[in-house]
Amino acid sequence: MKILVAGGGPAGLSAAALLAQTSSTHQITVIERQGSGDSRGWGITLRRHALGFLNLAQLLPPNQLRSLAGRRLLVRGECRIDYDNPPDDSLVTIARDDLVAALARRCEQLGVQLRLGVDADQLRADEIKANDLLVAADGAHSPVRQRWAKEVAPNVGAGRNWYAWLATDRMFPKLTILFTDRIRPLLAWAYEYAPGMSSFIVERHDDSPAHAHELLLPVSLQRQDLAGEFAAELQGHRLFCAQSVRWKRFPLVRCKHLQVDNIVLVGDAAHTTHFSQGFGTMFAFDDACALAEALQGATSVRAALERYEGSQQPRIEEFQAAADKSRRWSEQLLAAAQARREDQVQALIAARWPRNDAPAAPAPKERLQRMQQVAA
Ligand SMILES: Cc1cc2nc3c(=O)[nH]c(=O)nc-3n(C[C@H](O)[C@H](O)[C@H](O)COP(=O)(O)OP(=O)(O)OC[C@H]3O[C@@H](n4cnc5c(N)ncnc54)[C@H](O)[C@@H]3O)c2cc1C
C-alpha cells in the first residue's frame, strides 16, 4: 500500500513505524510542516510499559528516561498528599523532543521516508488520491480535519483556564500538583524528566468569554512574576520558557467520524485529552495499534477504516470523560479560589486523589504486546 502520513509528531511517527513494521510492502511517507530542531514542549509522562512499543526502550538511552516515584499535592506550600506509586503502576518521563527523535529514528530504520518542511495544507486532491491511505496526524488544530470538516463533523471547544508549558531546574521526583493563591490563584503540574529539569505547566483562571484560544502576550515576559508567585515551591530555582510560548486554552476535540474515503484521523487530530490526566501520547500509540490491527486482513481500506472507527470511538468516549473530569477539577478549583470560597477550595482539594488509585490509560500493556508480536 502507498501511505501518506500528514504530521510528524508522536501520532504520525508511531503510526508510520508500526505500519512499516507490520508489512514490508507498504511504501510510507511522513510529511511534517516544521523543520528539524523545532521544539514543542518539555518533558512528558508515559506508563512504563509503553517503552516496549516499537522497541522504544532500546532507542532511548537510559539517561533520557526517568521514573517518577509517586504523586504529591502541595497547597500553599503545605504537603497535603504524598503517595508512592500504587502496585503495578509506574510513570516514566522523557523530553518530548527525545521521544519524537527516537520515533523518527525507528521510522528511518524501517524505510519510512520523512519529509520535513512540507505543509499538508498544500496537498492537492490528486496527490491524496494517488495514495491508498492518508493518515491525518497533524495535531489538535488539524488542517486535514478542517478540510474534511463536513464529513468528519468535528466538535472543537476550549477549556476555561489558560495554561502555559514552562520548565524549571527544581527537581520534582513525584508528579506534583502545586496550588498557590498568595497573589492570584494558580495551579502548576510539575515532574522531573531529565537531569536538573522538570516540566512546569501553569494554569490560571479567567472569566472572559471563551472566544480567544491564545493570548498575544508572550509568557516569557511574565516568567519572573510567575517565579515570584511560586517562590515558596521553587525555592530559588529558575523557570524557563521558550520565547514563542503564549497562554492558551486547551483545545477540546471530538469528531463524529474518524474517517472519510481513504483518510483517517489519529492522535490529537482525532481527539484531545486534557494534559492533567490525558496520556495523549499513549492515546496516539493506541490509535496506531488500532489502525494497524484494522488494516490486517481487511478486504478494503474502507472496511479497515470503519473497523478502526468502531474500535476507537468508545475508547475516546471513556478517556475523554476521565480527562474532562480532571480538567474541570482545575477550573473549579481556580474559580473557587478566585471567588474566595475557601470551603469549596478545601472540598475540591480533598476530592482530587482520595485514594492512591492509578487512572486508566489508553494503550494497555496487552494491546501493545499483541502488536509487538504481530510485528516481530
Ligand atoms: C501542556 C501539555 C502537556 C502534555 N503532557 C503530556 C504528558 O505528560 N503525557 C502525554 O502522554 N501527553 C501529554 N500531552 C499531550 C500530547 O502532547 C499530545 O497528545 C501528543 O503530542 C499528540 O500527538 P500528535 O502527533 O497527535 O500531535 P502533535 O504532537 O501536535 O503533532 C502534530 C504534528 O503535526 C504537524 N503538523 C501540523 N500541521 C501540519 C501541516 N499542515 N502539515 C504537516 N505537518 C503538520 C505539527 O508540526 C506536529 O509536528 C501534553 C499536552 C500539553 C498541551
Side-chain angles (χ1 to χ4, degrees):
M1 268 172 73
K2 207 169 161 212
I3 301 172
L4 182 62
V5 180
L13 294 172
S14 60
L18 189 60
L19 293 175
Q21 204 169 277
T22 49
S23 168
S24 56
T25 59
H26 290 329
Q27 283 175 47
I28 306 175
T29 304
V30 177
I31 55 172
E32 164 57 46
R33 185 165 56 183
Q34 292 187 307
S36 63
D38 291 342
S39 182
R40 289 162 54 93
W42 304 88
I44 59 164
T45 55
L46 299 173
R47 285 265 157 83
R48 177 166 288 283
H49 73 258
L51 297 175
F53 182 56
L54 296 167
N55 293 326
L56 284 175
Q58 277 77 48
L59 288 163
L60 292 162
N63 63 3
Q64 285 184 338
L65 291 166
R66 298 187 83 80
S67 298
L68 291 183
R71 289 177 283 175
R72 297 185 89 205
L73 174 53
L74 302 185
V75 177
R76 298 166 181 136
E78 180 201 341
C79 180
R80 294 281 291 271
I81 293 175
D82 191 349
Y83 292 137
D84 291 333
N85 286 321
D88 298 330
D89 180 46
S90 73
L91 290 179
V92 286
T93 56
I94 177 174
R96 180 191 145 96
D97 289 347
D98 289 342
L99 177 72
V100 170
L103 288 168
R105 275 200 299 282
R106 191 80 190 104
C107 280
E108 275 165 357
Q109 287 168 356
L110 291 159
V112 172
Q113 205 198 345
L114 298 182
R115 294 177 58 207
L116 301 180
V118 180
D119 192 338
D121 226 2
Q122 308 298 323
L123 284 173
R124 296 187 315 270
D126 61 309
E127 288 176 290
I128 296 170
K129 283 271 178 259
N131 287 278
D132 299 295
L133 178 62
L134 170 64
V135 179
D138 47 353
H141 303 286
S142 167
V144 175
R145 185 188 66 224
Q146 283 167 29
R147 194 158 154 187
W148 276 272
K150 209 165 126 229
E151 291 81 1
V152 297
N155 180 348
V156 182
R160 261 178 74 193
N161 287 346
W162 294 104
Y163 79 88
W165 197 347
L166 292 89
T168 172
D169 52 5
R170 161 121 209 250
M171 299 297 273
F172 288 94
K174 294 187 171 183
L175 170 63
T176 307
I177 306 178
L178 309 135
F179 167 67
T180 178
D181 58 357
R182 278 182 286 270
I183 295 169
R184 60 179 164 167
L186 292 173
L187 263 180
W189 304 79
Y191 45 89
E192 65 182 45
Y193 69 92
M197 287 301 276
S198 296
S199 268
F200 200 84
I201 305 166
V202 181
E203 287 191 75
R204 66 181 177 81
H205 171 78
D206 194 335
D207 268 336
S208 60
H211 59 266
H213 289 188
E214 185 169 304
L215 296 183
L216 283 180
L217 191 69
V219 180
S220 54
L221 296 179
Q222 300 157 22
R223 189 172 50 87
Q224 298 291 10
D225 292 343
L226 288 169
E229 289 176 81
F230 282 109
E233 291 81 5
L234 291 172
Q235 298 178 348
H237 289 267
R238 291 167 298 173
L239 278 185
F240 303 99
C241 179
Q243 283 296 336
S244 57
V245 168
R246 303 279 190 276
W247 290 103
K248 290 184 183 170
R249 285 197 157 109
F250 189 82
L252 305 171
V253 175
R254 47 197 69 178
C255 299
K256 187 166 180 203
H257 293 293
L258 305 177
Q259 42 83 32
V260 50
D261 299 335
N262 64 335
I263 302 162
V264 64
L265 303 176
V266 297
D268 280 11
H271 47 70
T272 53
T273 45
H274 192 251
F275 55 78
S276 59
Q277 194 174 316
F279 293 112
T281 308
M282 291 193 54
F283 216 155
F285 294 172
D286 199 58
D287 288 346
C289 292
L291 182 59
E293 275 176 333
L295 283 166
Q296 276 169 357
T299 49
S300 65
V301 169
R302 291 286 327 125
L305 299 192
E306 278 166 19
R307 198 169 142 208
Y308 164 81
E309 180 173 310
S311 150
Q312 293 310 83
Q313 284 290 32
R315 297 171 76 72
I316 294 170
E317 214 165 294
E318 177 188 350
F319 293 116
Q320 283 193 330
D324 277 353
K325 192 171 163 209
S326 180
R327 171 181 58 83
R328 280 197 301 274
W329 178 84
S330 299
E331 293 173 353
Q332 286 164 0
L333 179 65
L334 293 183
Q338 180 79 24
R340 303 199 178 281
R341 294 295 310 266
E342 187 59 19
D343 51 338
Q344 284 178 16
V345 168
Q346 292 304 328
L348 284 157
I349 296 285
R352 178 66 205 186
W353 286 326
R355 289 175 306 280
N356 191 11
D357 295 334
K365 201 188 250 172
E366 303 68 41
R367 183 172 227 178
L368 295 185
Q369 280 175 348
R370 199 163 64 236
M371 284 322 296
Q372 276 311 105
Q373 279 156 12
V374 171

